[in-house]
Short mmCIF file of all heavy atoms in Angstrom, two decimals:
data_model
loop_
_atom_site.label_atom_id
_atom_site.label_comp_id
_atom_site.label_asym_id
_atom_site.label_seq_id
_atom_site.Cartn_x
_atom_site.Cartn_y
_atom_site.Cartn_z
N THR A 193 -13.78 -2.50 5.77
CA THR A 193 -12.67 -3.46 5.76
C THR A 193 -12.99 -4.67 6.61
O THR A 193 -12.68 -5.80 6.25
CB THR A 193 -11.40 -2.77 6.34
OG1 THR A 193 -11.20 -1.59 5.59
CG2 THR A 193 -10.18 -3.66 6.22
N TYR A 194 -13.60 -4.42 7.76
CA TYR A 194 -13.83 -5.52 8.69
C TYR A 194 -15.10 -6.30 8.40
O TYR A 194 -15.49 -7.18 9.16
CB TYR A 194 -13.86 -4.99 10.14
CG TYR A 194 -12.60 -4.29 10.56
CD1 TYR A 194 -12.62 -3.26 11.49
CD2 TYR A 194 -11.37 -4.68 10.04
CE1 TYR A 194 -11.45 -2.63 11.89
CE2 TYR A 194 -10.19 -4.05 10.43
CZ TYR A 194 -10.24 -3.02 11.35
OH TYR A 194 -9.09 -2.40 11.75
N ARG A 195 -15.79 -5.95 7.33
CA ARG A 195 -16.99 -6.66 6.88
C ARG A 195 -18.14 -6.61 7.88
O ARG A 195 -18.99 -7.50 7.88
CB ARG A 195 -16.69 -8.13 6.53
CG ARG A 195 -15.43 -8.39 5.74
CD ARG A 195 -15.30 -7.58 4.50
NE ARG A 195 -16.32 -7.89 3.49
CZ ARG A 195 -16.60 -7.07 2.48
NH1 ARG A 195 -16.00 -5.91 2.36
NH2 ARG A 195 -17.50 -7.41 1.60
N TYR A 227 -17.74 -9.40 12.02
CA TYR A 227 -18.50 -10.07 10.97
C TYR A 227 -19.09 -11.37 11.52
O TYR A 227 -18.39 -12.17 12.13
CB TYR A 227 -17.57 -10.39 9.80
CG TYR A 227 -18.27 -11.16 8.69
CD1 TYR A 227 -18.91 -10.49 7.65
CD2 TYR A 227 -18.30 -12.54 8.70
CE1 TYR A 227 -19.57 -11.18 6.65
CE2 TYR A 227 -18.96 -13.24 7.70
CZ TYR A 227 -19.59 -12.55 6.69
OH TYR A 227 -20.24 -13.25 5.70
N TRP A 228 -20.38 -11.56 11.29
CA TRP A 228 -21.01 -12.86 11.59
C TRP A 228 -22.14 -13.07 10.60
O TRP A 228 -22.98 -12.20 10.42
CB TRP A 228 -21.56 -12.92 13.01
CG TRP A 228 -22.16 -14.28 13.28
CD1 TRP A 228 -23.48 -14.64 13.15
CD2 TRP A 228 -21.45 -15.46 13.66
NE1 TRP A 228 -23.63 -15.97 13.43
CE2 TRP A 228 -22.39 -16.51 13.75
CE3 TRP A 228 -20.11 -15.73 13.94
CZ2 TRP A 228 -22.04 -17.80 14.10
CZ3 TRP A 228 -19.76 -17.02 14.29
CH2 TRP A 228 -20.72 -18.04 14.38
N ASN A 229 -22.16 -14.24 9.96
CA ASN A 229 -23.22 -14.52 9.01
C ASN A 229 -23.78 -15.91 9.25
O ASN A 229 -23.13 -16.91 8.99
CB ASN A 229 -22.66 -14.42 7.58
CG ASN A 229 -23.75 -14.53 6.54
OD1 ASN A 229 -24.88 -14.97 6.84
ND2 ASN A 229 -23.44 -14.14 5.33
N LEU A 232 -23.57 -18.98 6.78
CA LEU A 232 -22.34 -19.71 6.43
C LEU A 232 -22.15 -20.98 7.26
O LEU A 232 -21.11 -21.64 7.15
CB LEU A 232 -21.12 -18.79 6.61
CG LEU A 232 -20.97 -17.68 5.57
CD1 LEU A 232 -19.74 -16.83 5.86
CD2 LEU A 232 -20.87 -18.27 4.17
N HIS A 236 -19.04 -23.66 7.00
CA HIS A 236 -18.10 -23.90 8.11
C HIS A 236 -18.03 -25.40 8.40
O HIS A 236 -16.95 -25.98 8.54
CB HIS A 236 -18.55 -23.14 9.37
CG HIS A 236 -18.51 -21.64 9.20
ND1 HIS A 236 -19.43 -20.79 9.79
CD2 HIS A 236 -17.69 -20.84 8.50
CE1 HIS A 236 -19.14 -19.54 9.46
NE2 HIS A 236 -18.09 -19.54 8.67
N ASP A 251 -5.98 -20.07 9.41
CA ASP A 251 -7.20 -19.32 9.08
C ASP A 251 -6.79 -17.85 8.93
O ASP A 251 -6.56 -17.15 9.92
CB ASP A 251 -8.23 -19.53 10.21
CG ASP A 251 -9.62 -19.06 9.82
OD1 ASP A 251 -9.75 -18.42 8.75
OD2 ASP A 251 -10.57 -19.32 10.58
N VAL A 252 -6.71 -17.41 7.67
CA VAL A 252 -6.12 -16.09 7.39
C VAL A 252 -7.08 -14.96 7.76
O VAL A 252 -6.65 -13.89 8.20
CB VAL A 252 -5.72 -15.99 5.89
CG1 VAL A 252 -5.03 -14.67 5.59
CG2 VAL A 252 -4.82 -17.16 5.50
N PHE A 253 -8.38 -15.18 7.57
CA PHE A 253 -9.39 -14.15 7.86
C PHE A 253 -10.41 -14.78 8.84
O PHE A 253 -11.55 -15.06 8.48
CB PHE A 253 -10.09 -13.71 6.57
CG PHE A 253 -9.13 -13.32 5.47
CD1 PHE A 253 -8.89 -14.16 4.38
CD2 PHE A 253 -8.44 -12.11 5.52
CE1 PHE A 253 -8.02 -13.81 3.37
CE2 PHE A 253 -7.56 -11.75 4.51
CZ PHE A 253 -7.34 -12.59 3.43
N ALA A 254 -9.98 -14.99 10.06
CA ALA A 254 -10.67 -15.91 10.97
C ALA A 254 -11.97 -15.37 11.56
O ALA A 254 -12.79 -16.14 12.05
CB ALA A 254 -9.73 -16.32 12.09
N GLY A 255 -12.18 -14.04 11.56
CA GLY A 255 -13.35 -13.49 12.24
C GLY A 255 -13.33 -13.90 13.71
O GLY A 255 -12.26 -13.91 14.34
N VAL A 256 -14.50 -14.25 14.24
CA VAL A 256 -14.57 -14.61 15.66
C VAL A 256 -14.41 -16.12 15.87
O VAL A 256 -14.63 -16.62 16.96
CB VAL A 256 -15.87 -14.09 16.31
CG1 VAL A 256 -15.96 -12.57 16.19
CG2 VAL A 256 -17.10 -14.76 15.70
N PRO A 258 -15.47 -19.11 13.49
CA PRO A 258 -16.35 -20.21 13.11
C PRO A 258 -15.71 -21.35 12.32
O PRO A 258 -16.31 -22.42 12.20
CB PRO A 258 -17.44 -19.52 12.27
CG PRO A 258 -16.82 -18.27 11.76
CD PRO A 258 -15.84 -17.84 12.81
N PHE A 259 -14.48 -21.15 11.78
CA PHE A 259 -13.71 -22.30 11.27
C PHE A 259 -12.75 -22.77 12.37
O PHE A 259 -12.60 -23.95 12.63
CB PHE A 259 -12.86 -21.92 10.05
CG PHE A 259 -13.63 -21.69 8.78
CD1 PHE A 259 -13.68 -20.43 8.20
CD2 PHE A 259 -14.29 -22.73 8.14
CE1 PHE A 259 -14.37 -20.20 7.02
CE2 PHE A 259 -15.00 -22.52 6.96
CZ PHE A 259 -15.03 -21.25 6.40
N ASN A 273 -5.97 -15.72 12.31
CA ASN A 273 -5.62 -14.30 12.20
C ASN A 273 -6.82 -13.47 11.79
O ASN A 273 -7.67 -13.92 11.02
CB ASN A 273 -4.53 -14.14 11.11
CG ASN A 273 -4.26 -12.69 10.81
OD1 ASN A 273 -3.75 -11.97 11.67
ND2 ASN A 273 -4.61 -12.23 9.61
N ASP A 274 -6.91 -12.25 12.31
CA ASP A 274 -7.88 -11.28 11.79
C ASP A 274 -7.35 -9.88 12.03
O ASP A 274 -6.78 -9.58 13.08
CB ASP A 274 -9.26 -11.44 12.44
CG ASP A 274 -10.36 -10.85 11.55
OD1 ASP A 274 -10.49 -9.60 11.52
OD2 ASP A 274 -11.05 -11.63 10.86
N LEU A 275 -7.57 -9.02 11.02
CA LEU A 275 -7.07 -7.64 11.11
C LEU A 275 -7.88 -6.79 12.09
O LEU A 275 -7.37 -5.85 12.69
CB LEU A 275 -7.15 -7.02 9.69
CG LEU A 275 -6.65 -5.60 9.51
CD1 LEU A 275 -5.16 -5.51 9.82
CD2 LEU A 275 -6.90 -5.13 8.08
N ASN A 276 -9.15 -7.13 12.25
CA ASN A 276 -10.03 -6.34 13.12
C ASN A 276 -9.71 -6.67 14.59
O ASN A 276 -9.90 -7.81 15.03
CB ASN A 276 -11.48 -6.69 12.78
CG ASN A 276 -12.49 -5.94 13.64
OD1 ASN A 276 -12.11 -5.21 14.57
ND2 ASN A 276 -13.76 -6.13 13.34
N SER A 279 -12.52 -8.51 16.33
CA SER A 279 -12.65 -9.92 15.96
C SER A 279 -11.59 -10.73 16.70
O SER A 279 -11.87 -11.82 17.23
CB SER A 279 -12.47 -10.14 14.46
OG SER A 279 -13.43 -9.44 13.75
N MET A 301 -3.24 -9.20 12.49
CA MET A 301 -2.45 -8.52 11.47
C MET A 301 -3.13 -8.61 10.09
O MET A 301 -4.12 -9.34 9.92
CB MET A 301 -1.03 -9.10 11.38
CG MET A 301 -0.89 -10.50 11.75
SD MET A 301 0.77 -11.14 12.10
CE MET A 301 1.87 -10.29 11.07
N ASP A 302 -2.57 -7.90 9.15
CA ASP A 302 -3.04 -8.00 7.78
C ASP A 302 -2.76 -9.43 7.27
O ASP A 302 -1.71 -10.00 7.58
CB ASP A 302 -2.32 -6.97 6.91
CG ASP A 302 -2.62 -7.17 5.45
OD1 ASP A 302 -3.77 -6.92 5.05
OD2 ASP A 302 -1.73 -7.68 4.72
N GLY A 303 -3.68 -9.97 6.47
CA GLY A 303 -3.56 -11.35 6.00
C GLY A 303 -2.26 -11.64 5.26
O GLY A 303 -1.66 -12.70 5.43
N ARG A 304 -1.83 -10.68 4.43
CA ARG A 304 -0.59 -10.89 3.67
C ARG A 304 0.61 -10.95 4.61
O ARG A 304 1.48 -11.80 4.47
CB ARG A 304 -0.41 -9.75 2.68
CG ARG A 304 -0.40 -10.23 1.27
CD ARG A 304 -0.14 -9.10 0.28
NE ARG A 304 -1.00 -9.32 -0.86
CZ ARG A 304 -2.15 -8.71 -1.06
NH1 ARG A 304 -2.60 -7.82 -0.20
NH2 ARG A 304 -2.87 -8.99 -2.12
N ASN A 330 -11.34 -16.90 3.98
CA ASN A 330 -12.71 -16.45 3.75
C ASN A 330 -12.84 -14.93 3.89
O ASN A 330 -13.25 -14.41 4.93
CB ASN A 330 -13.68 -17.15 4.71
CG ASN A 330 -15.12 -16.72 4.44
OD1 ASN A 330 -15.41 -16.18 3.37
ND2 ASN A 330 -16.00 -16.93 5.39
N LEU A 331 -12.44 -14.27 2.83
CA LEU A 331 -12.73 -12.83 2.67
C LEU A 331 -13.09 -12.71 1.18
O LEU A 331 -12.28 -12.31 0.36
CB LEU A 331 -11.48 -11.99 3.03
CG LEU A 331 -11.58 -10.48 2.83
CD1 LEU A 331 -12.70 -9.87 3.67
CD2 LEU A 331 -10.26 -9.80 3.16
N PRO A 332 -14.33 -13.13 0.84
CA PRO A 332 -14.64 -13.37 -0.57
C PRO A 332 -14.43 -12.17 -1.50
O PRO A 332 -14.19 -12.34 -2.69
CB PRO A 332 -16.12 -13.79 -0.56
CG PRO A 332 -16.40 -14.19 0.84
CD PRO A 332 -15.47 -13.43 1.73
N PHE A 338 -5.27 -12.11 -2.48
CA PHE A 338 -4.28 -12.34 -1.42
C PHE A 338 -3.42 -13.58 -1.68
O PHE A 338 -2.41 -13.79 -1.01
CB PHE A 338 -4.97 -12.50 -0.05
CG PHE A 338 -5.21 -11.20 0.66
CD1 PHE A 338 -6.17 -10.32 0.23
CD2 PHE A 338 -4.47 -10.87 1.79
CE1 PHE A 338 -6.41 -9.12 0.90
CE2 PHE A 338 -4.69 -9.68 2.46
CZ PHE A 338 -5.66 -8.81 2.02
C1 SAM B 1 -16.06 -12.49 5.58
S1 SAM B 1 -15.31 -12.35 7.15
C2 SAM B 1 -15.08 -14.07 7.53
C3 SAM B 1 -14.96 -14.34 8.99
C4 SAM B 1 -15.02 -15.82 9.34
N1 SAM B 1 -13.93 -16.57 8.76
C5 SAM B 1 -16.35 -16.44 8.92
O1 SAM B 1 -16.35 -17.40 8.16
O2 SAM B 1 -17.41 -15.98 9.37
C6 SAM B 1 -13.73 -11.75 6.75
C7 SAM B 1 -12.87 -11.36 7.92
O3 SAM B 1 -11.63 -10.85 7.39
C8 SAM B 1 -11.19 -9.79 8.20
N2 SAM B 1 -10.29 -8.97 7.36
C9 SAM B 1 -10.62 -8.01 6.47
N3 SAM B 1 -9.50 -7.55 5.84
C10 SAM B 1 -8.46 -8.24 6.35
C11 SAM B 1 -7.07 -8.25 6.09
N4 SAM B 1 -6.53 -7.43 5.19
N5 SAM B 1 -6.30 -9.10 6.78
C12 SAM B 1 -6.83 -9.94 7.70
N6 SAM B 1 -8.14 -9.98 8.01
C13 SAM B 1 -8.96 -9.14 7.32
C14 SAM B 1 -12.44 -9.09 8.64
O4 SAM B 1 -12.22 -8.37 9.85
C15 SAM B 1 -13.42 -10.27 8.83
O5 SAM B 1 -13.42 -10.72 10.15
#
Side-chain angles (χ1 to χ4, degrees):
T193 306
Y194 300 150
R195 317 308 295 162
Y227 177 90
W228 181 266
N229 187 344
L232 289 179
H236 296 145
D251 193 351
V252 184
F253 309 105
V256 301
F259 287 115
N273 172 66
D274 202 283
L275 182 63
N276 179 355
S279 299
M301 29 196 327
D302 171 70
R304 241 183 220 99
N330 182 18
L331 176 60
F338 273 72

